[in-house]
Amino acid sequence: MRALRGVSLRVETGEIVTLLGSNGAGKTTLLRAISGLLRAGGGAVRFNGQRISGKAPDEIVRLGIGHAPEGRRVFARMTVRENLELGAYTRRSRSDVSAGFARVFAAFPQLRERIAQKAGTLSGGEQQMLAIGRALMSRPHLLMLDEPSLGLSPLLVKRIFGVIAELKSAGTAVLLVEQNATQALEVASRGYVLELGRIALSDTAENLLGNDAVRESYLGGG
Amino acid sequence: MLRPLLRYAWVVLIPLVPLVDRNAAHINFLADAGAFMLLALGLNIVVGFAGLLDLGYAAFFAIGSYAYAMLASPQFGIHVPFWVMLFVASGIAAVFGILLGAPTLRLRGDYLAIVTLGFGEIVPQTFLNLTQYTNGPNGISSLDQPTFFGHAFGFNPVPYFYVMLALIALAIWLATNLRDSRIGRAWMAIREDELAAKHMGINTTVAKLSAFALGASFSGLAGVAYASKLQLVSPDQFQFTVSVLILSMLVLGGMGSIAGVLVGSFALSFINNFLLPQATNIAHGFGLPLDFTNYRFMLYGVILVAVMLFRPEGLIPSRQRRAELRAPLSDPALAQRENAEYSGSTS
């Protein structure tokens, strides 16, 4: 079965782009196709002008695409430190790894306090911070976040989106998959709406926030 | 202060055993136990570190043993020295590790177990049926004895004891370094969550194949040492029960824990090759027609059930395994913290 058809999407350097869509629209499939976890039946993915479709997932991480997966998938029985170290698996130089730690702790000071704690004993919010931090450890140029706000309290959602906005100012491009459309469109510069495997709509974040159809489907009526 | 001292006391005390205990049967038992400790350390890399359930590990033991039997015996008139064969056989076993690993890369858990089980059956059957090369059920005998600077080992178990000791020391050193290396971290990540490991940029193909290859190479060492000591190999030495025995050693000692695996493999070897035969001798001494060695699988069963009930993480668990089976994953303080964060947002 084809989950995606005729999807065309781009993310510019240092830009936050959000991908909206209901359950089953193909958002996660699209991210997995980009990061090489799934092989696309056709079409091409280019990154910095280089064709990356068909490459192995580890090569794609090495080229600079970090992916914080759906459902966090932290290594529950490993400590926060071990999780972050695994995030830096593709980084062989010690200074790169310590720079990664510094960056993650600047974004999520809470993780530093929990460094020796098992990831499985963290709260949901902390696990999400760890999942994002772990993806940042590979020092990606493009970070893909799959529903980072899922199951978090409003305060934590705000924190996570604050960090996403900071990433942009640090020059990292972000492709953000969200169901929490309002917050996502507030930090993003552009957005796409994915419906049944197709891009149904593509516009600036501002216009999407004002679009009646989007408001009705994804912004909770209003 | 005392603990590290105790830890290193072993290094000094174990080599002294043959000087203190002059009973050749005891040293013979210890040398045999050494082969199983090597096997358990090897299987631990595959099952304990990388989490790939292998039910046919005895196949690699067979391959290592037959490699020695074919290349260091009158069978084909080839006489490669024992010390060289240690490297050759572990290389051959590693290649077969990759051959088994490659088709199973996409399999996990039960499915992987079934394929490895099949491999474990195929290998001894192949040696059984390749009669013109292996003498079929009779096996290959009069294997070359190892020599050390021109002195043949003979039928004295003491030199074998020291060879096993050296090989175990090497295997412990290798296993410890592998566990703490980059590839070791990749194995643990795959064991915990293979998809997440891919997200980290781990090449899971390379990591799994290297676990199979390195794990198998240890059984090459064990096979050469064991075959040269027994001077005989035959297909019935490598039945499914051997694979199960080695896996039981891991379960008893603690999967993924090097110290645990050593204790577990020694304990089961002790029961199997020392305690039960001795008990039988004593019973015969009293005129009782009991053969306790017939009960050994029943005894393993009882031990394993007891381990699962009372100490599922094994005698000396690895840190993560203990965490998996003992630590509460939901922490009451956690819920409180989460609630505080939640109410903070509404105020």
Side-chain angles (χ1 to χ4, degrees):
Chain A
M1 203 198 94
R2 284 206 147 171
L4 295 171
R5 280 156 298 192
V7 172
S8 172
L9 166 150
R10 54 188 299 126
V11 183
E12 303 290 341
T13 313
E15 185 188 30
I16 300 180
V17 171
T18 185
L19 183 60
L20 306 174
S22 53
N23 279 331
K27 295 168 295 183
T28 298
T29 307
L30 178 57
L31 293 195
R32 288 189 176 167
I34 296 171
S35 58
L37 294 164
L38 289 174
R39 198 149 285 206
V45 182
R46 278 174 211 289
F47 182 63
N48 285 339
Q50 190 183 354
R51 193 188 156 109
I52 59 166
S53 28
K55 284 191 190 293
D58 58 293
E59 277 180 275
I60 292 173
V61 173
R62 231 163 252 145
L63 285 171
I65 299 185
H67 185 172
E70 185 186 25
R72 302 162 198 153
R73 299 195 93 115
V74 294
F75 298 107
R77 291 187 264 146
M78 298 189 187
T79 63
V80 168
R81 178 193 296 280
E82 287 165 330
N83 268 274
L84 292 174
E85 279 171 352
L86 278 167
Y89 189 79
T90 52
R91 289 284 165 176
R92 283 166 182 268
S93 103
R94 220 168 258 267
S95 62
D96 272 356
V97 177
S98 47
F101 270 108
R103 186 178 181 191
V104 170
F105 291 151
F108 305 110
Q110 221 162 326
L111 289 181
R112 189 201 298 271
E113 295 162 29
R114 311 230 176 273
I115 185 97
Q117 206 170 313
K118 292 268 185 308
T121 68
L122 299 179
S123 74
E126 288 164 343
Q127 286 190 14
Q128 187 59 58
M129 294 177 197
L130 180 57
I132 298 175
R134 193 177 59 172
L136 280 174
M137 289 297 290
S138 67
R139 314 198 67 192
H141 303 301
L142 169 64
L143 180 65
M144 302 195 294
L145 302 175
D146 200 343
E147 306 228 11
S149 73
L150 194 72
L152 300 188
S153 70
L155 185 71
L156 281 169
V157 172
K158 220 167 156 182
R159 274 256 293 288
I160 299 277
F161 279 105
V163 169
I164 294 170
E166 280 167 31
L167 288 176
K168 179 189 165 185
S169 46
T172 309
V174 179
L175 177 56
L176 178 61
V177 162
E178 262 302 337
Q179 294 204 10
N180 194 334
T182 319
Q183 303 246 21
L185 288 169
E186 274 166 10
V187 294
S189 57
R190 289 185 303 117
Y192 294 87
V193 176
L194 197 61
E195 263 171 21
L196 299 171
R198 291 174 191 281
I199 299 280
L201 207 57
S202 135
D203 210 333
T204 62
E206 215 171 311
N207 288 348
L208 285 176
L209 269 172
N211 183 309
D212 285 343
V214 172
R215 289 174 79 89
E216 198 162 312
S217 310
Y218 304 108
L219 304 180
Chain B
M1 189 61 212
L2 195 69
R3 272 184 70 90
L5 263 180
L6 270 173
R7 179 172 294 179
Y8 294 111
W10 291 98
V11 179
V12 181
L13 291 179
I14 293 176
L16 297 178
V17 169
L19 305 177
V20 179
D21 188 344
R22 311 295 268 188
N23 187 332
H26 293 176
I27 305 305
N28 189 46
F29 153 69
L30 289 174
D32 285 347
F36 280 90
M37 292 166 88
L38 275 175
L39 290 168
L41 282 169
L43 183 61
N44 186 46
I45 289 181
V46 184
V47 183
F49 291 172
L52 304 164
L53 183 53
D54 183 347
L55 287 183
Y57 190 68
F60 300 116
F61 185 31
I63 288 164
S65 302
Y66 268 93
Y68 189 73
M70 290 179 171
L71 297 175
S73 77
Q75 181 75 357
F76 300 116
I78 305 169
H79 298 280
V80 180
F82 173 80
W83 307 102
V84 177
M85 274 311 293
L86 286 174
F87 293 97
V88 174
S90 27
I92 293 172
V95 169
F96 277 93
I98 291 171
L99 288 179
L100 166 68
T104 64
L105 284 171
R106 302 172 71 96
L107 303 178
R108 299 188 52 78
D110 348 10
Y111 300 97
L112 175 65
I114 289 166
V115 173
T116 55
L117 178 73
F119 186 74
E121 292 302 301
I122 290 166
V123 168
Q125 279 297 319
T126 307
F127 287 126
L128 180 66
N129 291 325
L130 281 176
T131 315
Q132 64 272 42
Y133 305 113
T134 62
N135 306 335
N138 299 328
I140 301 172
S141 54
S142 13
L143 309 189
D144 294 351
Q145 287 187 356
T147 55
F148 191 65
F149 292 109
H151 298 282
F153 280 21
F155 294 98
N156 181 359
V158 175
Y160 291 101
F161 171 87
Y162 286 111
V163 167
M164 288 294 183
L165 204 57
L167 291 177
I168 290 170
L170 173 72
I172 293 172
W173 180 78
L174 278 173
T176 311
N177 278 290
L178 283 170
R179 184 194 60 195
D180 300 336
S181 71
R182 214 173 119 74
I183 190 80
R185 288 192 292 138
W187 290 337
M188 316 279 168
I190 291 172
R191 188 185 66 194
E192 299 296 306
D193 185 336
E194 190 169 345
L195 180 64
K198 282 186 181 164
H199 276 282
M200 302 299 101
I202 291 167
N203 185 332
T204 53
T205 305
V206 169
K208 284 171 152 188
L209 286 182
S210 54
F212 276 117
L214 288 161
S217 70
F218 282 43
S219 67
L221 298 178
V224 168
Y226 193 74
S228 71
K229 179 172 173 298
L230 204 62
Q231 297 187 16
L232 167 80
V233 295
S234 66
D236 58 355
Q237 293 164 350
F238 310 104
Q239 285 169 350
F240 176 58
T241 50
V242 176
S243 297
V244 171
L245 173 63
I246 303 166
L247 194 62
S248 309
M249 291 168 169
L250 264 59
V251 173
L252 173 62
M255 277 196 198
S257 150
I258 293 170
V261 162
L262 289 169
V263 169
S265 54
F266 184 80
L268 280 195
S269 296
F270 181 76
I271 292 169
N272 200 10
N273 296 328
F274 194 81
L275 204 61
L276 294 179
Q278 290 285 343
T280 306
N281 283 344
I282 292 169
H284 287 178
F286 285 107
L288 296 167
L290 282 171
D291 187 352
F292 288 106
T293 56
N294 289 338
Y295 300 119
R296 62 171 192 250
F297 282 101
M298 194 180 79
L299 192 60
Y300 295 163
V302 170
I303 291 173
L304 288 184
V305 169
V307 168
M308 285 299 120
L309 283 177
F310 300 111
R311 209 175 158 82
E313 67 275 36
L315 295 175
I316 306 179
S318 73
R319 200 166 46 81
Q320 258 146 20
R321 197 129 176 101
R322 192 205 303 268
E324 170 190 11
L325 291 158
R326 293 280 156 154
L329 273 182
S330 59
D331 156 10
L334 183 80
Q336 223 170 6
R337 211 157 67 221
E338 200 88 303
N339 285 339
E341 277 164 355
Y342 202 88
S343 54
S345 70
T346 50
S347 63

